[in-house]
Amino acid sequence: MICPRCGKQAYDGVPNCTNCGYRFDFQQMYYQNKVQQQQNIRNGVNQFGNSVNRGMNNLSNSIDNGFRQASQSINQGARQMQQSFNQARANYNANPEVVKRGDDALVMSIVAIVLMVFFGGLLFVSLILGIMAKSRAKEAYEATHIHKYEVAKTLSVITIIFSSVELAIGVIGGIIGLVMWIIALTQGGGLDSFDSVIQCLTQLF
């Protein structure tokens, strides 16, 4: 127990304080100790309650801040997407001539592909259409960023590559045939002579 006069710790059951000699009233000291214990319990409960309340407040604030930040991010993304959509629509509406050229490019690239695949005799036409479509599609896509014009540019590039290769093969084949024809004539065998053709191929290869 604690001495009420000097505040020093005294041994339980001794009649006097060993420090100042104060004579203890054990009934009063018991009551004081009981009151002190109850006060300590109340203080502990209050501190625990305050700690729980602070923890709940911090958790609630963290959840609120998280939802607020998530909502702000979603709203910002939605605004950016809407701005991009509005910009694309404005470009589409503000450049009718460019849009028309892009649509023409898409049609020309498709026609060029069809001519190249199904009409071998029109390779030169498909090549010209591919070159024109590529130029118009590139211009339209850079101005509007509409996906179909990028597709038109890709189709036109494919047409240009394959048409050029097929035309080159045809030109080389024609040159070889012309050389064979000239060699056959110079040897006097005539154009219908099978032997002269065989001899021409032998001299070429």
Side-chain angles (χ1 to χ4, degrees):
M1 57 185 176
I2 305 298
C3 176
R5 176 186 291 174
C6 65
K8 298 292 184 179
Q9 179 71 34
Y11 295 103
D12 293 338
V14 297
N16 299 89
C17 176
T18 56
N19 183 58
C20 67
Y22 177 78
R23 183 174 180 80
F24 296 127
D25 183 351
F26 289 101
Q27 185 176 2
Q28 181 182 3
M29 294 298 297
Y30 174 80
Y31 176 76
Q32 291 177 351
N33 290 336
K34 194 72 174 177
V35 171
Q36 185 65 37
Q37 290 176 357
Q38 293 176 354
Q39 185 63 38
N40 291 338
I41 293 174
R42 284 195 295 270
N43 292 337
V45 172
N46 291 333
Q47 290 177 357
F48 176 76
N50 292 333
S51 298
V52 171
N53 288 332
R54 286 195 298 269
M56 294 299 294
N57 290 333
N58 292 334
L59 178 62
S60 177
N61 292 334
S62 298
I63 294 174
D64 290 340
N65 291 333
F67 277 113
R68 190 178 300 109
Q69 292 176 357
S71 176
Q72 291 175 354
S73 299
I74 293 173
N75 291 334
Q76 183 178 4
R79 285 195 300 269
Q80 291 177 350
M81 184 173 66
Q82 184 65 35
Q83 290 174 358
S84 299
F85 178 77
N86 291 338
Q87 184 64 37
R89 185 171 61 183
N91 289 336
Y92 186 89
N93 294 330
N95 300 280
E97 296 181 359
V98 175
V99 170
K100 184 178 184 304
R101 290 174 65 85
D103 293 339
D104 293 342
L106 181 61
V107 174
M108 286 191 293
S109 62
I110 295 174
V111 172
I113 286 283
V114 171
L115 292 178
M116 180 189 67
V117 174
F118 297 103
F119 302 95
L122 299 176
L123 286 175
F124 184 75
V125 177
S126 66
L127 176 61
I128 298 300
L129 285 177
I131 294 173
M132 295 173 60
K134 178 179 179 298
S135 176
R136 297 188 179 191
K138 180 180 179 181
E139 177 186 358
Y141 180 74
E142 290 178 352
T144 61
H145 294 284
I146 298 176
H147 179 66
K148 64 180 180 179
Y149 301 149
E150 188 178 18
V151 173
K153 184 173 68 173
T154 302
L155 292 177
S156 62
V157 170
I158 294 174
T159 302
I160 292 171
I161 293 174
F162 283 94
S163 296
S164 300
V165 171
E166 292 184 20
L167 282 173
I169 292 174
V171 170
I172 293 173
I175 293 174
I176 292 175
L178 179 62
V179 171
M180 291 173 59
W181 180 71
I182 294 174
I183 292 175
L185 284 179
T186 56
Q187 291 185 353
L191 293 178
D192 297 328
S193 176
F194 179 76
D195 293 336
S196 63
V197 174
I198 295 300
Q199 186 177 2
C200 176
L201 289 173
T202 303
Q203 292 179 2
L204 283 176
F205 302 101

